[in-house]
Amino acid sequence: MNITAGLLDRIVLQRNNRNVSDAEFSGDTQAAGDVIVRVTKGGKKVKGFDGKVVGKASNGKITGRLTGLPAGGPYDVVVAVVGHGAKAQTSVADKQRIKSVLVGDVWIAAGQSNMQGCGNAQYRAKPDPMVRAFYMDDHWATAVDPIHQLNTAVDSVHNGGIRTVATAPNPKGVGPAIHFAQDMYRRTRVPQGIIACAHGGTSMSQWDPKLKSKGGASLYGASMRRLEKNGGKIAGVIWYQGESDCNSDASRQFTPRMKELIAAFRKDARNPKLPFVQVQLGRLLSIGFDVPSWNSVQDQQRRLAQDAPFVSQVAAYDLQLDDTIHVGGRGMAILGARLAYAMDVLRRGSKAGKPPITLKKVNIKPNPVSGQVDVLIDFDNVVGSLHVPGGIRPTGFSLVDNRPVPIIYDIELRGHTVVLHTNFAMSGLGDKTVYHGWGIDTYCNVQDEAGRLIPVFGPVATGEPRAVTPMVERINIAFPIAIPTDSGVDTKLNGLKYPADQANFPWKLNVFENRFCDIHLQTAVLEKQDFIAYFKCTLEVPEPMKLDICLGYDGPVKAWIDGEEVFHDPQGNNPAWEDRGTAPIKAKPGSHEVIVALASNKNNAWGIFLRFERKDVSKEQLKLGVVSCVLPSVRA
């Protein structure tokens, strides 16, 4: 007899809702007849399992179902095929002993490197005999990191089909799965099993459930093979993935791919309510990384956990790293406990605690004292009140226009609400987005009284979301250009034509750092004069699109695209604010010259704001942020 699935040495069998086993198993045998089991625990027979009929053997195959074995163990299980001779005597035709079987909860641990485990080995969890792992070489044993040993894996997707044995101890390899399972054991007091399925550096496209038919040559197919090898039943999935999808193309597809993956796990595990807990992306130390995509994936993870049934998430942004991207061994113990708490809440509801803190709403209101604008951020599922341990200054929140705008001068915590005090007027704040944890190496410190963190979020619109480019900060400027006196042009720029002859203009490249093309320090020496300052850049349009030019200004202004006048405000004056004036422009693919003329207004005008907004974008795309659509770019 050779039992190939469902009953293996040292296996952890998934219990059912009656707290007993319900394990299907199968294999090969040359015998035929009834399949019986005899179960012992500590050398003593287990009542009801001394010759219990559990299946049939015929045509070289054996199938059975071991039901009713109480959670706990370890058990020794003898499976036998019994036949009946000519004198109606029963005899054992074939048998196999399965050693040290446990009954409890089994989990799939999957995703990429942070689930695989890259923490330093000196921080590995102390082994617990009631927590086991199904290692990648298809054997069960007490769980000791690293449990994801790709070089020994049976499935070729992990090693190209070339299996090797490590010749030296691995100085890395600590992940969150064992800490999670040990914490679940403390919570449930039933044995825990981990099916190790993660693989570092993998993307959602590589985890595509449609590749299941490739079996062990695909990540999802390999996971399902290992699931079926262990009877096809699990308690839930813990998942840490997303780093490889932080680019403009993959990030747009992250949510639908995640929904498809979760649905596939539930279908193949035969549980439409299978709990799924993910880790929201943590920190990254890198130069030149796609920050908007990183934040977009984090926000999609937050929204998925908030909106999808039986899905939860935990934060990792506060944990120490053991390199530039991987949660360290010390942090993995904290992360494992967070995963266990979230999973326990999914399974037992309010008896276990509250779901993760969730964003409820964002409002902007005038501050009655300062006259400026406050941003009020309300949260649900807060235990007690929001606070910062040690009473230090709250941090981690940003108002962003493609990058944080330094306008928050104080952050106040009021129960379940965070108040951002800004020095902006209502008109300048309406298009900004709110972030908690903007960037890839964020520092946030607000938590509830249970020590639970606010998730990273953003972009969340303070007004209606918009698809806008960054403010232009590199631009060619020519000044002072005398106002023509013989062509009917006045100081309001009435009558001013496109400057076709620019050969004698003193163009100079200017680079600004605060989003406002501010030339007042350069023009101050000209005293109270009337003149024109010209601003010129090139708009690159990759595909046909409907655009608005968006201007802020503190003097009379006029703008041309490819020599055609598109905007004129003769009444411009102080102060300048963003998007004070807008106008539709032609946006065919290609390069387009943009020129803006600003009248000096007796040298009271300081400069302009300039950016572009794409108007033919759906509301669904806008909710995902600017990474969800193609935008034009601007060069000097």
Side-chain angles (χ1 to χ4, degrees):
M1 182 186 299
N2 181 28
I3 297 176
T4 57
L7 272 179
L8 311 173
D9 285 344
R10 296 175 294 279
I11 193 173
V12 180
L13 299 177
Q14 178 60 46
R15 60 174 173 161
N16 61 20
N17 56 12
R18 297 187 300 277
N19 208 36
V20 296
S21 69
D22 188 4
E24 298 176 2
F25 61 90
S26 60
D28 304 314
T29 181
Q30 296 304 310
D34 290 333
V35 176
I36 64 169
V37 294
R38 292 187 172 91
V39 182
T40 58
K41 179 180 179 181
K44 297 180 179 180
K45 295 178 181 179
V46 176
K47 184 178 180 180
F49 291 89
D50 186 17
K52 180 180 181 179
V53 177
V54 296
K56 290 286 185 181
S58 63
N59 301 318
K61 299 294 181 182
I62 179 174
T63 58
R65 187 170 182 175
L66 180 58
T67 61
L69 198 60
Y75 302 101
D76 281 350
V77 181
V78 175
V79 180
V81 178
V82 295
H84 301 281
K87 296 182 180 180
Q89 293 180 338
T90 299
S91 61
V92 175
D94 199 3
K95 67 179 180 179
Q96 181 176 342
R97 181 187 177 196
I98 312 299
K99 296 177 288 185
S100 190
V101 173
L102 298 175
V103 178
D105 289 327
V106 182
W107 314 93
I108 281 181
Q112 56 183 110
S113 55
N114 269 309
M115 182 60 76
Q116 178 183 325
C118 295
N120 292 345
Q122 67 262 38
Y123 299 110
R124 62 166 59 101
K126 182 180 179 181
D128 187 321
M130 289 294 102
V131 176
R132 297 178 179 178
F134 188 55
Y135 289 80
M136 302 194 96
D137 62 355
D138 278 14
H139 86 279
W140 281 94
T142 299
V144 179
D145 275 321
I147 60 173
H148 289 89
Q149 298 170 345
L150 306 186
N151 57 300
T152 69
V154 170
D155 298 298
S156 62
V157 69
H158 297 301
N159 52 33
I162 301 174
R163 300 175 66 186
T164 60
V165 177
T167 57
N170 189 345
K172 295 281 189 177
V174 175
I178 294 178
H179 291 289
F180 159 79
Q182 289 186 354
D183 199 272
M184 290 302 296
Y185 175 61
R186 287 190 288 270
R187 290 171 177 272
T188 63
R189 306 315 299 174
V190 302
Q192 304 289 308
I194 309 161
I195 301 177
C197 296
H199 188 127
T202 52
S203 64
M204 288 303 299
S205 61
Q206 292 173 288
W207 278 96
D208 191 343
K210 297 185 183 68
L211 302 177
K212 177 184 174 182
S213 60
K214 293 186 176 182
S218 71
L219 290 168
Y220 186 78
S223 301
M224 291 306 100
R225 183 198 68 79
R226 289 166 63 72
L227 174 63
E228 292 304 317
K229 182 81 173 177
N230 289 284
K233 296 177 182 178
I234 52 175
V237 177
I238 55 173
W239 177 264
Y240 195 155
Q241 191 276 339
E243 296 94 336
S244 294
D245 287 78
C246 291
N247 58 74
S248 58
D249 291 330
S251 63
R252 298 174 195 172
Q253 305 175 64
F254 186 80
T255 294
R257 284 174 169 170
M258 278 298 300
K259 288 181 177 179
E260 185 177 3
L261 180 75
I262 293 171
F265 270 121
R266 289 173 174 170
K267 178 181 178 182
D268 288 329
R270 291 167 282 180
N271 182 356
K273 298 180 179 180
L274 185 73
F276 190 100
V277 180
Q278 63 180 341
V279 181
Q280 189 182 43
L281 294 185
R283 297 165 52 213
L284 166 67
L285 281 71
S286 178
I287 297 175
F289 199 83
D290 189 343
V291 173
S293 293
W294 185 273
N295 290 148
S296 174
V297 168
Q298 288 176 312
D299 197 56
Q300 290 179 69
Q301 291 172 324
R302 174 190 70 86
R303 291 176 181 272
L304 183 66
Q306 190 166 321
D307 300 336
F310 310 109
V311 176
S312 188
Q313 79 162 26
V314 298
Y317 59 76
D318 63 321
L319 302 177
Q320 56 87 212
L321 304 178
D322 275 345
D323 52 44
T324 60
I325 192 171
H326 295 115
V327 175
R330 289 174 292 164
M332 286 300 185
I334 299 170
L335 185 58
R338 289 176 182 172
L339 286 164
Y341 178 94
M343 184 65 76
D344 203 17
V345 172
L346 279 182
R347 301 180 79 204
R348 297 196 299 122
S350 60
K351 294 179 181 179
K354 284 194 173 185
I357 298 172
T358 56
L359 176 64
K360 184 178 180 180
K361 62 181 178 180
V362 175
N363 288 322
I364 56 176
K365 294 182 178 180
N367 186 301
V369 176
S370 69
Q372 303 301 311
V373 175
D374 290 340
V375 180
L376 282 69
I377 311 170
D378 295 328
F379 295 94
D380 276 333
N381 303 325
V382 176
V383 176
S385 298
L386 296 172
H387 76 294
V388 178
I392 62 176
R393 180 173 65 90
T395 189
F397 295 88
S398 305
L399 288 166
V400 174
D401 183 356
N402 297 288
R403 71 167 184 262
V405 183
I407 59 175
I408 301 172
Y409 62 81
D410 188 31
I411 298 176
E412 181 184 355
L413 306 180
R414 300 177 185 168
H416 295 191
T417 300
V418 174
V419 183
L420 311 181
H421 297 293
T422 82
N423 65 346
F424 248 44
M426 187 74 75
S427 59
L429 195 61
D431 68 309
K432 302 296 183 293
T433 55
V434 182
Y435 280 76
H436 178 247
W438 182 90
I440 58 177
D441 183 22
T442 188
Y443 177 73
C444 309
N445 61 7
V446 179
Q447 57 185 252
D448 68 8
E449 292 178 13
R452 303 182 314 144
L453 300 170
I454 296 174
V456 172
F457 66 77
V460 176
T462 56
E464 291 297 323
R466 300 165 60 193
V468 291
T469 67
M471 288 290 181
V472 174
E473 295 181 327
R474 292 175 56 87
I475 195 164
N476 293 291
I477 305 176
F479 71 90
I481 307 298
I483 297 175
T485 59
D486 57 353
S487 56
V489 180
D490 61 22
T491 58
K492 302 294 187 181
L493 302 186
N494 293 306
L496 183 66
K497 305 297 184 183
Y498 166 74
D501 184 7
Q502 306 168 26
N504 296 320
F505 280 16
W507 291 114
K508 182 179 180 180
L509 176 63
N510 285 250
V511 180
F512 302 94
E513 296 182 354
N514 64 354
R515 305 165 68 251
F516 181 52
C517 298
D518 181 359
I519 60 173
H520 86 280
L521 293 178
Q522 302 174 59
T523 62
V525 296
L526 300 176
E527 298 181 345
K528 299 297 183 180
Q529 298 182 25
D530 280 317
F531 59 86
I532 299 173
Y534 284 98
F535 301 76
K536 182 168 71 172
C537 60
T538 300
L539 178 67
E540 299 286 358
V541 179
E543 65 185 28
M545 58 182 69
K546 295 180 180 179
L547 294 177
D548 275 358
I549 185 172
C550 303
L551 285 161
Y553 43 89
D554 49 9
V557 69
K558 184 172 284 192
W560 300 266
I561 305 291
D562 295 332
E564 179 181 346
E565 182 180 321
V566 295
F567 184 81
H568 179 210
D569 182 358
Q571 304 304 321
N573 54 27
N574 299 99
W577 66 83
E578 300 170 6
D579 307 340
R580 178 175 183 169
T582 64
I585 63 174
K586 296 179 179 179
K588 295 180 180 179
S591 300
H592 303 277
E593 180 194 63
V594 180
I595 290 185
V596 178
L598 177 70
S600 67
N601 197 21
K602 293 292 184 182
N603 222 4
N604 291 314
W606 284 25
I608 65 169
F609 291 101
L610 173 62
R611 62 178 170 182
F612 299 86
E613 179 178 6
R614 184 164 185 178
K615 305 296 289 185
D616 54 345
V617 180
S618 69
K619 291 182 178 180
E620 289 72 20
Q621 285 179 296
L622 290 174
K623 288 179 181 179
L624 295 177
V626 295
V627 297
S628 67
C629 63
V630 176
L631 291 178
S633 60
V634 180
R635 59 180 174 85

